[in-house]
């Protein structure tokens, strides 16, 4: 387990957050599943807590206003040195900025955007809050992947906005690209064509590290969640796609390095 680097290269996934209808019950679910503890976070957008592993912040959970009935999903945030400039670039490249840029107290400056395919993501200009502060421990985000229809067009968008280098997997039946910054893999794009869930559309998927994928999947169900894709061996380790009781999907993975 390591503390995450304090300086984030622009484009690096640096934070994940979830906005839900029932903050208290969602906190209990993730506390039981991942062992998270919680501390209050900025409340500019309503009630919000930060999740801790070993005293280090790893994720955020907020609460939707009662009158708002939006889909519940984990949001991946990508680092930027200038949220306003990045927001303008997103717009000029065919994306949409739905929220912000705005200040989150002294924590930093953020915006919520979507790429040309409709996948939602955040951008984060760090100030007091650098983002996820621990890597490699159970309960921490370990990877972020864009699940989309096809990767070629949307890859150009992310390359232009964030300066990624893209490495494609050459295969007739597998549409996959790894995004790199300074030679280091930081995220991936996965084109699934007609297999894209109709009720979700293109979306960013957060992977969380667990000690035992099968046991964690069983625990998800016991806690009122759902298994969307049963445990199976993947490129990075044994993984399963699950959802919490409000339907927010995420992937649990036991890394091959664990």
């Amino acid at each position: 387990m390591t503390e995450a680097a304090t300086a984030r290269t622009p484009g690096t996934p640096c934070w994940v957050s979830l906005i839900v209808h029932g903050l208290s019950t969602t906190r209990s679910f993730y506390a039981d599943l991942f062992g998270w503890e919680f501390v209050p976070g900025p409340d500019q957008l309503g009630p919000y807590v930060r999740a801790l592993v070993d005293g280090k912040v790893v994720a955020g959970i907020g609460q939707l206003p009662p009158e708002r009935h939006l889909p519940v999903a984990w949001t991946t945030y990508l680092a930027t040195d200038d949220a306003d400039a990045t927001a303008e670039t997103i717009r000029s490249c065919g994306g949409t900025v739905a929220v912000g840029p705005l200040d989150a107290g002294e924590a930093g400056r953020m915006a919520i955007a979507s790429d040309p395919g409709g996948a939602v993501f955040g951008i984060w200009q760090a100030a007091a809050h650098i983002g996820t502060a621990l890597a490699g421990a159970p309960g921490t985000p370990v990877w972020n992947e864009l699940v989309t229809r096809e990767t070629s067009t949307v890859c150009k968008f992310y390359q232009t906005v964030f300066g990624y280098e893209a490495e494609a997997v050459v295969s007739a039946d597998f549409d996959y690209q790894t995004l790199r910054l300074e030679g280091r893999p930081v995220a991936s794009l996965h084109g699934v064509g007609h297999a894209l869930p109709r009720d979700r559309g293109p979306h960013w998927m957060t992977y969380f590290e667990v000690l035992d994928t099968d046991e964690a999947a069983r625990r998800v169900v016991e806690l009122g969640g759902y298994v969307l894709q049963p445990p199976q061996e993947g490129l990075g380790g044994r993984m399963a796609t699950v959802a919490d009781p409000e339907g927010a999907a995420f992937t649990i993975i036991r890394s091959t390095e664990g």
Side-chain angles (χ1 to χ4, degrees):
M1 121 185 18
T2 59
E3 290 192 23
T6 55
R8 299 282 164 73
T9 303
T12 305
C14 62
W15 186 242
V16 292
S17 73
L18 176 65
I19 309 299
V20 298
H21 300 287
L23 180 56
S24 177
T25 53
T26 299
R27 282 178 52 164
S28 296
F29 172 85
Y30 287 101
D32 287 341
L33 181 63
F34 292 141
W36 285 353
E37 298 177 337
F38 297 92
V39 294
D43 58 2
Q44 280 76 13
L45 300 179
Y48 190 84
V49 294
R50 289 176 179 159
L52 308 179
V53 172
D54 294 332
K56 305 290 184 181
V57 293
V58 297
I61 304 177
Q63 182 163 303
L64 285 163
E67 68 277 6
R68 301 198 70 181
H69 300 284
L70 300 175
V72 174
W74 280 98
T75 299
T76 297
Y77 282 76
L78 306 175
T80 177
D81 288 338
D82 187 331
D84 295 81
T86 300
E88 283 303 314
T89 304
I90 289 169
R91 293 188 186 99
S92 68
C93 292
T96 301
V97 178
V99 177
L102 53 83
D103 290 326
E106 298 179 351
R109 191 161 174 81
M110 54 82 70
I112 302 295
S114 58
D115 65 30
V120 174
F121 63 95
I123 56 174
W124 181 253
Q125 179 184 338
H129 174 58
I130 196 68
T132 301
L134 187 68
T140 63
V142 67
W143 191 247
N144 292 270
E145 179 176 274
L146 173 66
V147 182
T148 188
R149 289 185 176 84
E150 57 86 22
T151 66
S152 60
T153 301
V154 76
C155 184
K156 295 175 183 176
F157 166 83
Y158 286 101
Q159 286 181 295
T160 303
V161 175
F162 295 106
Y164 296 122
E165 300 169 356
E167 179 184 359
V169 173
V170 180
S171 172
D173 57 356
F174 192 57
D175 181 9
Y176 189 91
Q177 301 201 44
T178 301
L179 301 180
R180 297 177 179 269
L181 290 170
E182 302 171 338
R184 180 173 56 93
V186 296
S188 54
L189 311 178
H190 189 186
V192 298
H194 295 300
L196 192 70
R198 292 183 180 180
D199 59 339
R200 298 196 63 198
H203 58 276
W204 278 91
M205 174 67 71
T206 300
Y207 286 61
F208 290 98
E209 184 109 5
V210 294
L211 287 173
D212 185 322
T213 302
D214 296 75
E215 177 58 32
R218 285 192 292 269
R219 188 67 178 141
V220 165
V221 176
E222 291 173 358
L223 295 170
Y226 313 88
V227 174
L228 304 178
Q229 294 180 1
Q232 59 185 318
E233 297 299 328
L235 295 176
R238 189 163 179 80
M239 64 183 70
T241 301
V242 298
D244 67 23
E246 288 204 20
F250 56 99
T251 295
I252 48 177
I253 181 169
R254 184 185 186 280
S255 172
T256 53
E257 299 176 358

Tab-separated table of all heavy atoms in Angstrom, residues 24-74:
chain	number	residue	atom	x	y	z
A	24	SER	N	-27.119	8.251	4.388
A	24	SER	CA	-26.856	7.428	5.558
A	24	SER	C	-26.784	5.944	5.209
A	24	SER	O	-25.856	5.237	5.614
A	24	SER	CB	-27.938	7.668	6.626
A	24	SER	OG	-27.735	6.830	7.735
A	25	THR	N	-27.755	5.448	4.438
A	25	THR	CA	-27.765	4.027	4.089
A	25	THR	C	-26.615	3.683	3.146
A	25	THR	O	-26.049	2.587	3.221
A	25	THR	CB	-29.103	3.633	3.445
A	25	THR	OG1	-29.374	4.510	2.339
A	25	THR	CG2	-30.239	3.751	4.439
A	26	THR	N	-26.260	4.612	2.262
A	26	THR	CA	-25.136	4.365	1.346
A	26	THR	C	-23.819	4.307	2.106
A	26	THR	O	-22.963	3.461	1.837
A	26	THR	CB	-25.085	5.447	0.260
A	26	THR	OG1	-26.304	5.419	-0.493
A	26	THR	CG2	-23.913	5.219	-0.688
A	27	ARG	N	-23.660	5.200	3.087
A	27	ARG	CA	-22.475	5.157	3.932
A	27	ARG	C	-22.356	3.804	4.612
A	27	ARG	O	-21.268	3.201	4.658
A	27	ARG	CB	-22.551	6.253	5.003
A	27	ARG	CG	-22.215	7.626	4.538
A	27	ARG	CD	-22.367	8.650	5.654
A	27	ARG	NE	-21.655	8.281	6.874
A	27	ARG	CZ	-21.387	9.127	7.867
A	27	ARG	NH1	-21.784	10.384	7.793
A	27	ARG	NH2	-20.739	8.725	8.941
A	28	SER	N	-23.461	3.297	5.123
A	28	SER	CA	-23.435	2.007	5.818
A	28	SER	C	-23.036	0.878	4.877
A	28	SER	O	-22.260	-0.014	5.250
A	28	SER	CB	-24.813	1.719	6.429
A	28	SER	OG	-25.140	2.669	7.417
A	29	PHE	N	-23.538	0.914	3.648
A	29	PHE	CA	-23.216	-0.120	2.662
A	29	PHE	C	-21.711	-0.172	2.412
A	29	PHE	O	-21.083	-1.241	2.493
A	29	PHE	CB	-23.966	0.150	1.354
A	29	PHE	CG	-23.557	-0.735	0.205
A	29	PHE	CD1	-24.118	-1.984	0.039
A	29	PHE	CD2	-22.598	-0.310	-0.710
A	29	PHE	CE1	-23.739	-2.808	-1.021
A	29	PHE	CE2	-22.208	-1.114	-1.768
A	29	PHE	CZ	-22.782	-2.371	-1.917
A	30	TYR	N	-21.116	0.990	2.107
A	30	TYR	CA	-19.693	1.001	1.775
A	30	TYR	C	-18.811	0.808	3.004
A	30	TYR	O	-17.706	0.250	2.896
A	30	TYR	CB	-19.340	2.293	1.024
A	30	TYR	CG	-19.868	2.288	-0.399
A	30	TYR	CD1	-21.033	2.972	-0.735
A	30	TYR	CD2	-19.218	1.571	-1.390
A	30	TYR	CE1	-21.530	2.946	-2.029
A	30	TYR	CE2	-19.704	1.528	-2.691
A	30	TYR	CZ	-20.863	2.225	-3.004
A	30	TYR	OH	-21.351	2.186	-4.292
A	31	ALA	N	-19.280	1.234	4.161
A	31	ALA	CA	-18.531	0.970	5.385
A	31	ALA	C	-18.437	-0.532	5.635
A	31	ALA	O	-17.374	-1.063	5.996
A	31	ALA	CB	-19.192	1.671	6.571
A	32	ASP	N	-19.550	-1.240	5.429
A	32	ASP	CA	-19.563	-2.684	5.625
A	32	ASP	C	-18.774	-3.411	4.534
A	32	ASP	O	-18.113	-4.420	4.809
A	32	ASP	CB	-21.004	-3.207	5.642
A	32	ASP	CG	-21.741	-2.853	6.916
A	32	ASP	OD1	-21.070	-2.537	7.914
A	32	ASP	OD2	-22.983	-2.881	6.913
A	33	LEU	N	-18.843	-2.917	3.300
A	33	LEU	CA	-18.180	-3.598	2.192
A	33	LEU	C	-16.674	-3.367	2.186
A	33	LEU	O	-15.884	-4.306	2.029
A	33	LEU	CB	-18.780	-3.138	0.861
A	33	LEU	CG	-18.201	-3.788	-0.402
A	33	LEU	CD1	-18.468	-5.295	-0.404
A	33	LEU	CD2	-18.783	-3.139	-1.662
A	34	PHE	N	-16.272	-2.111	2.326
A	34	PHE	CA	-14.863	-1.735	2.190
A	34	PHE	C	-14.179	-1.355	3.508
A	34	PHE	O	-12.976	-1.098	3.519
A	34	PHE	CB	-14.726	-0.548	1.226
A	34	PHE	CG	-15.055	-0.858	-0.210
A	34	PHE	CD1	-15.745	0.059	-0.992
A	34	PHE	CD2	-14.669	-2.055	-0.787
A	34	PHE	CE1	-16.035	-0.203	-2.329
A	34	PHE	CE2	-14.957	-2.342	-2.112
A	34	PHE	CZ	-15.647	-1.415	-2.890
A	35	GLY	N	-14.945	-1.280	4.586
A	35	GLY	CA	-14.364	-0.839	5.836
A	35	GLY	C	-14.113	0.650	5.903
A	35	GLY	O	-13.301	1.113	6.712
A	36	TRP	N	-14.794	1.417	5.056
A	36	TRP	CA	-14.592	2.863	5.035
A	36	TRP	C	-15.064	3.515	6.332
A	36	TRP	O	-16.090	3.140	6.909
A	36	TRP	CB	-15.352	3.490	3.880
A	36	TRP	CG	-14.730	3.280	2.530
A	36	TRP	CD1	-13.514	2.709	2.254
A	36	TRP	CD2	-15.300	3.624	1.261
A	36	TRP	NE1	-13.292	2.686	0.899
A	36	TRP	CE2	-14.369	3.235	0.262
A	36	TRP	CE3	-16.506	4.209	0.882
A	36	TRP	CZ2	-14.610	3.437	-1.091
A	36	TRP	CZ3	-16.749	4.411	-0.463
A	36	TRP	CH2	-15.806	4.030	-1.455
A	37	GLU	N	-14.320	4.522	6.759
A	37	GLU	CA	-14.766	5.459	7.778
A	37	GLU	C	-15.011	6.792	7.078
A	37	GLU	O	-14.574	6.979	5.936
A	37	GLU	CB	-13.710	5.592	8.887
A	37	GLU	CG	-13.474	4.282	9.612
A	37	GLU	CD	-12.386	4.388	10.663
A	37	GLU	OE1	-11.541	5.301	10.547
A	37	GLU	OE2	-12.387	3.561	11.583
A	38	PHE	N	-15.700	7.715	7.743
A	38	PHE	CA	-16.118	8.946	7.062
A	38	PHE	C	-15.840	10.184	7.903
A	38	PHE	O	-15.926	10.153	9.134
A	38	PHE	CB	-17.611	8.888	6.722
A	38	PHE	CG	-17.969	7.787	5.760
A	38	PHE	CD1	-18.369	6.536	6.221
A	38	PHE	CD2	-17.877	7.979	4.395
A	38	PHE	CE1	-18.683	5.520	5.342
A	38	PHE	CE2	-18.188	6.963	3.503
A	38	PHE	CZ	-18.594	5.733	3.978
A	39	VAL	N	-15.511	11.271	7.189
A	39	VAL	CA	-15.381	12.594	7.804
A	39	VAL	C	-16.155	13.577	6.934
A	39	VAL	O	-16.349	13.348	5.732
A	39	VAL	CB	-13.908	13.036	7.913
A	39	VAL	CG1	-13.146	12.140	8.872
A	39	VAL	CG2	-13.237	13.057	6.541
A	40	PRO	N	-16.628	14.694	7.502
A	40	PRO	CA	-17.358	15.682	6.697
A	40	PRO	C	-16.461	16.284	5.615
A	40	PRO	O	-15.255	16.470	5.804
A	40	PRO	CB	-17.756	16.749	7.726
A	40	PRO	CG	-17.699	16.057	9.048
A	40	PRO	CD	-16.603	15.060	8.934
A	41	GLY	N	-17.090	16.574	4.464
A	41	GLY	CA	-16.398	17.252	3.371
A	41	GLY	C	-17.072	18.572	3.065
A	41	GLY	O	-17.994	18.993	3.782
A	42	PRO	N	-16.638	19.258	1.987
A	42	PRO	CA	-17.266	20.533	1.617
A	42	PRO	C	-18.758	20.347	1.359
A	42	PRO	O	-19.172	19.353	0.752
A	42	PRO	CB	-16.523	20.925	0.331
A	42	PRO	CG	-15.246	20.165	0.383
A	42	PRO	CD	-15.548	18.889	1.084
A	43	ASP	N	-19.576	21.282	1.824
A	43	ASP	CA	-21.027	21.126	1.679
A	43	ASP	C	-21.625	22.155	0.723
A	43	ASP	O	-22.807	22.462	0.804
A	43	ASP	CB	-21.713	21.205	3.037
A	43	ASP	CG	-21.430	22.522	3.754
A	43	ASP	OD1	-20.732	23.380	3.180
A	43	ASP	OD2	-21.915	22.677	4.884
A	44	GLN	N	-20.790	22.679	-0.209
A	44	GLN	CA	-21.321	23.661	-1.157
A	44	GLN	C	-22.451	23.098	-2.015
A	44	GLN	O	-23.360	23.820	-2.428
A	44	GLN	CB	-20.204	24.191	-2.066
A	44	GLN	CG	-19.334	25.271	-1.448
A	44	GLN	CD	-18.344	24.706	-0.446
A	44	GLN	OE1	-18.149	23.493	-0.388
A	44	GLN	NE2	-17.727	25.564	0.346
A	45	LEU	N	-22.377	21.788	-2.286
A	45	LEU	CA	-23.394	21.154	-3.128
A	45	LEU	C	-24.359	20.306	-2.310
A	45	LEU	O	-25.064	19.470	-2.848
A	45	LEU	CB	-22.720	20.297	-4.205
A	45	LEU	CG	-21.780	21.037	-5.153
A	45	LEU	CD1	-21.161	20.072	-6.146
A	45	LEU	CD2	-22.521	22.147	-5.885
A	46	GLY	N	-24.384	20.526	-0.997
A	46	GLY	CA	-25.261	19.746	-0.128
A	46	GLY	C	-24.445	18.850	0.788
A	46	GLY	O	-23.218	18.901	0.799
A	47	PRO	N	-25.124	17.990	1.575
A	47	PRO	CA	-24.417	17.103	2.494
A	47	PRO	C	-23.398	16.238	1.748
A	47	PRO	O	-23.696	15.670	0.695
A	47	PRO	CB	-25.537	16.251	3.084
A	47	PRO	CG	-26.768	17.099	2.944
A	47	PRO	CD	-26.586	17.854	1.667
A	48	TYR	N	-22.179	16.129	2.307
A	48	TYR	CA	-21.092	15.438	1.608
A	48	TYR	C	-20.098	14.920	2.632
A	48	TYR	O	-19.776	15.610	3.599
A	48	TYR	CB	-20.388	16.420	0.662
A	48	TYR	CG	-19.396	15.801	-0.293
A	48	TYR	CD1	-19.809	15.245	-1.495
A	48	TYR	CD2	-18.038	15.794	-0.001
A	48	TYR	CE1	-18.897	14.690	-2.382
A	48	TYR	CE2	-17.118	15.236	-0.877
A	48	TYR	CZ	-17.554	14.690	-2.070
A	48	TYR	OH	-16.645	14.135	-2.947
A	49	VAL	N	-19.635	13.685	2.440
A	49	VAL	CA	-18.631	13.100	3.320
A	49	VAL	C	-17.497	12.526	2.480
A	49	VAL	O	-17.681	12.179	1.302
A	49	VAL	CB	-19.217	11.988	4.215
A	49	VAL	CG1	-20.237	12.559	5.192
A	49	VAL	CG2	-19.842	10.870	3.378
A	50	ARG	N	-16.342	12.445	3.112
A	50	ARG	CA	-15.200	11.799	2.476
A	50	ARG	C	-14.943	10.464	3.153
A	50	ARG	O	-14.984	10.362	4.381
A	50	ARG	CB	-13.966	12.688	2.571
A	50	ARG	CG	-14.037	13.931	1.682
A	50	ARG	CD	-12.827	14.807	1.900
A	50	ARG	NE	-12.869	15.988	1.029
A	50	ARG	CZ	-12.197	17.101	1.265
A	50	ARG	NH1	-11.443	17.202	2.357
A	50	ARG	NH2	-12.276	18.123	0.430
A	51	ALA	N	-14.674	9.448	2.333
A	51	ALA	CA	-14.390	8.111	2.841
A	51	ALA	C	-12.901	7.964	3.109
A	51	ALA	O	-12.067	8.448	2.338
A	51	ALA	CB	-14.845	7.062	1.832
A	52	LEU	N	-12.574	7.272	4.208
A	52	LEU	CA	-11.193	7.076	4.609
A	52	LEU	C	-10.844	5.602	4.667
A	52	LEU	O	-11.651	4.773	5.090
A	52	LEU	CB	-10.937	7.676	5.999
A	52	LEU	CG	-11.336	9.121	6.277
A	52	LEU	CD1	-11.016	9.468	7.720
A	52	LEU	CD2	-10.631	10.076	5.330
A	53	VAL	N	-9.613	5.282	4.258
A	53	VAL	CA	-8.990	3.979	4.497
A	53	VAL	C	-7.667	4.267	5.198
A	53	VAL	O	-6.839	5.035	4.690
A	53	VAL	CB	-8.742	3.211	3.188
A	53	VAL	CG1	-7.908	1.957	3.452
A	53	VAL	CG2	-10.061	2.826	2.523
A	54	ASP	N	-7.488	3.686	6.365
A	54	ASP	CA	-6.276	3.928	7.152
A	54	ASP	C	-6.035	5.420	7.371
A	54	ASP	O	-4.885	5.892	7.353
A	54	ASP	CB	-5.050	3.292	6.486
A	54	ASP	CG	-5.124	1.769	6.464
A	54	ASP	OD1	-5.783	1.202	7.366
A	54	ASP	OD2	-4.549	1.158	5.549
A	55	GLY	N	-7.119	6.166	7.545
A	55	GLY	CA	-7.008	7.589	7.809
A	55	GLY	C	-6.743	8.453	6.598
A	55	GLY	O	-6.599	9.678	6.736
A	56	LYS	N	-6.680	7.862	5.406
A	56	LYS	CA	-6.422	8.607	4.176
A	56	LYS	C	-7.692	8.671	3.327
A	56	LYS	O	-8.397	7.669	3.175
A	56	LYS	CB	-5.314	7.936	3.360
A	56	LYS	CG	-4.009	7.734	4.128
A	56	LYS	CD	-3.311	9.044	4.402
A	56	LYS	CE	-1.968	8.824	5.076
A	56	LYS	NZ	-1.284	10.098	5.365
A	57	VAL	N	-7.963	9.840	2.741
A	57	VAL	CA	-9.179	9.983	1.939
A	57	VAL	C	-9.046	9.201	0.629
A	57	VAL	O	-7.999	9.210	-0.011
A	57	VAL	CB	-9.502	11.463	1.645
A	57	VAL	CG1	-9.873	12.199	2.904
A	57	VAL	CG2	-8.341	12.163	0.937
A	58	VAL	N	-10.134	8.519	0.247
A	58	VAL	CA	-10.105	7.713	-0.978
A	58	VAL	C	-11.280	7.990	-1.904
A	58	VAL	O	-11.209	7.671	-3.102
A	58	VAL	CB	-10.042	6.205	-0.644
A	58	VAL	CG1	-8.758	5.868	0.112
A	58	VAL	CG2	-11.262	5.761	0.152
A	59	ALA	N	-12.377	8.561	-1.401
A	59	ALA	CA	-13.567	8.778	-2.231
A	59	ALA	C	-14.512	9.722	-1.508
A	59	ALA	O	-14.330	10.009	-0.317
A	59	ALA	CB	-14.271	7.449	-2.536
A	60	GLY	N	-15.519	10.201	-2.225
A	60	GLY	CA	-16.508	11.083	-1.634
A	60	GLY	C	-17.919	10.610	-1.925
A	60	GLY	O	-18.177	9.998	-2.975
A	61	ILE	N	-18.841	10.882	-0.995
A	61	ILE	CA	-20.258	10.554	-1.184
A	61	ILE	C	-21.082	11.757	-0.752
A	61	ILE	O	-20.906	12.277	0.356
A	61	ILE	CB	-20.683	9.317	-0.376
A	61	ILE	CG1	-19.811	8.106	-0.706
A	61	ILE	CG2	-22.150	8.985	-0.647
A	61	ILE	CD1	-20.144	6.867	0.109
A	62	GLY	N	-21.965	12.207	-1.637
A	62	GLY	CA	-22.847	13.324	-1.332
A	62	GLY	C	-24.301	12.922	-1.472
A	62	GLY	O	-24.619	11.801	-1.890
A	63	GLN	N	-25.187	13.847	-1.127
A	63	GLN	CA	-26.620	13.567	-1.180
A	63	GLN	C	-27.314	14.508	-2.137
A	63	GLN	O	-27.097	15.724	-2.110
A	63	GLN	CB	-27.241	13.706	0.212
A	63	GLN	CG	-28.733	13.371	0.240
A	63	GLN	CD	-29.229	13.114	1.643
A	63	GLN	OE1	-28.724	12.237	2.340
A	63	GLN	NE2	-30.213	13.882	2.077
A	64	LEU	N	-28.161	13.932	-2.988
A	64	LEU	CA	-28.968	14.716	-3.913
A	64	LEU	C	-30.069	15.459	-3.160
A	64	LEU	O	-30.608	14.933	-2.175
A	64	LEU	CB	-29.620	13.809	-4.958
A	64	LEU	CG	-28.738	13.263	-6.078
A	64	LEU	CD1	-29.434	12.091	-6.747
A	64	LEU	CD2	-28.455	14.356	-7.099
A	65	PRO	N	-30.437	16.649	-3.611
A	65	PRO	CA	-31.620	17.300	-3.044
A	65	PRO	C	-32.842	16.418	-3.270
A	65	PRO	O	-32.931	15.703	-4.286
A	65	PRO	CB	-31.726	18.605	-3.843
A	65	PRO	CG	-30.356	18.846	-4.372
A	65	PRO	CD	-29.769	17.487	-4.621
A	66	PRO	N	-33.796	16.410	-2.340
A	66	PRO	CA	-34.955	15.514	-2.447
A	66	PRO	C	-35.727	15.651	-3.755
A	66	PRO	O	-36.289	14.670	-4.248
A	66	PRO	CB	-35.817	15.923	-1.246
A	66	PRO	CG	-34.872	16.544	-0.280
A	66	PRO	CD	-33.828	17.221	-1.104
A	67	GLU	N	-35.746	16.858	-4.322
A	67	GLU	CA	-36.545	17.075	-5.531
A	67	GLU	C	-35.840	16.623	-6.807
A	67	GLU	O	-36.440	16.610	-7.881
A	67	GLU	CB	-36.914	18.559	-5.653
A	67	GLU	CG	-35.751	19.509	-5.943
A	67	GLU	CD	-34.986	19.914	-4.696
A	67	GLU	OE1	-35.282	19.365	-3.604
A	67	GLU	OE2	-34.095	20.780	-4.809
A	68	ARG	N	-34.567	16.239	-6.705
A	68	ARG	CA	-33.816	15.835	-7.900
A	68	ARG	C	-33.770	14.315	-8.002
A	68	ARG	O	-33.378	13.622	-7.079
A	68	ARG	CB	-32.397	16.402	-7.875
A	68	ARG	CG	-32.363	17.929	-7.802
A	68	ARG	CD	-31.014	18.467	-8.205
A	68	ARG	NE	-30.788	18.290	-9.636
A	68	ARG	CZ	-29.665	18.668	-10.252
A	68	ARG	NH1	-28.680	19.208	-9.564
A	68	ARG	NH2	-29.524	18.497	-11.543
A	69	HIS	N	-34.203	13.813	-9.138
A	69	HIS	CA	-34.253	12.369	-9.356
A	69	HIS	C	-33.329	12.020	-10.527
A	69	HIS	O	-33.775	11.766	-11.652
A	69	HIS	CB	-35.682	11.913	-9.626
A	69	HIS	CG	-36.622	12.221	-8.495
A	69	HIS	ND1	-36.653	11.482	-7.325
A	69	HIS	CD2	-37.539	13.213	-8.335
A	69	HIS	CE1	-37.550	11.991	-6.503
A	69	HIS	NE2	-38.107	13.043	-7.093
A	70	LEU	N	-32.029	12.021	-10.251
A	70	LEU	CA	-31.021	11.761	-11.274
A	70	LEU	C	-30.486	10.338	-11.147
A	70	LEU	O	-30.534	9.743	-10.069
A	70	LEU	CB	-29.866	12.757	-11.129
A	70	LEU	CG	-30.226	14.237	-11.271
A	70	LEU	CD1	-28.995	15.100	-10.990
A	70	LEU	CD2	-30.767	14.524	-12.664
A	71	PRO	N	-29.968	9.780	-12.239
A	71	PRO	CA	-29.332	8.466	-12.137
A	71	PRO	C	-28.161	8.522	-11.153
A	71	PRO	O	-27.417	9.507	-11.104
A	71	PRO	CB	-28.841	8.200	-13.569
A	71	PRO	CG	-29.684	9.086	-14.432
A	71	PRO	CD	-29.976	10.301	-13.616
A	72	VAL	N	-28.004	7.488	-10.369
A	72	VAL	CA	-26.937	7.426	-9.373
A	72	VAL	C	-25.768	6.653	-9.969
A	72	VAL	O	-25.927	5.519	-10.413
A	72	VAL	CB	-27.444	6.752	-8.086
A	72	VAL	CG1	-26.306	6.556	-7.099
A	72	VAL	CG2	-28.557	7.598	-7.458
A	73	ALA	N	-24.585	7.283	-9.994
A	73	ALA	CA	-23.421	6.651	-10.603
A	73	ALA	C	-22.140	7.229	-10.010
A	73	ALA	O	-22.093	8.401	-9.631
A	73	ALA	CB	-23.426	6.865	-12.120
A	74	TRP	N	-21.111	6.402	-9.953
A	74	TRP	CA	-19.798	6.884	-9.557
A	74	TRP	C	-19.242	7.793	-10.649
A	74	TRP	O	-19.400	7.499	-11.836
A	74	TRP	CB	-18.847	5.712	-9.313
A	74	TRP	CG	-19.031	5.079	-7.972
A	74	TRP	CD1	-19.746	3.947	-7.679
A	74	TRP	CD2	-18.502	5.560	-6.733
A	74	TRP	NE1	-19.697	3.691	-6.333
A	74	TRP	CE2	-18.941	4.661	-5.715
A	74	TRP	CE3	-17.708	6.654	-6.367
A	74	TRP	CZ2	-18.603	4.828	-4.377
A	74	TRP	CZ3	-17.373	6.824	-5.042
A	74	TRP	CH2	-17.813	5.919	-4.060
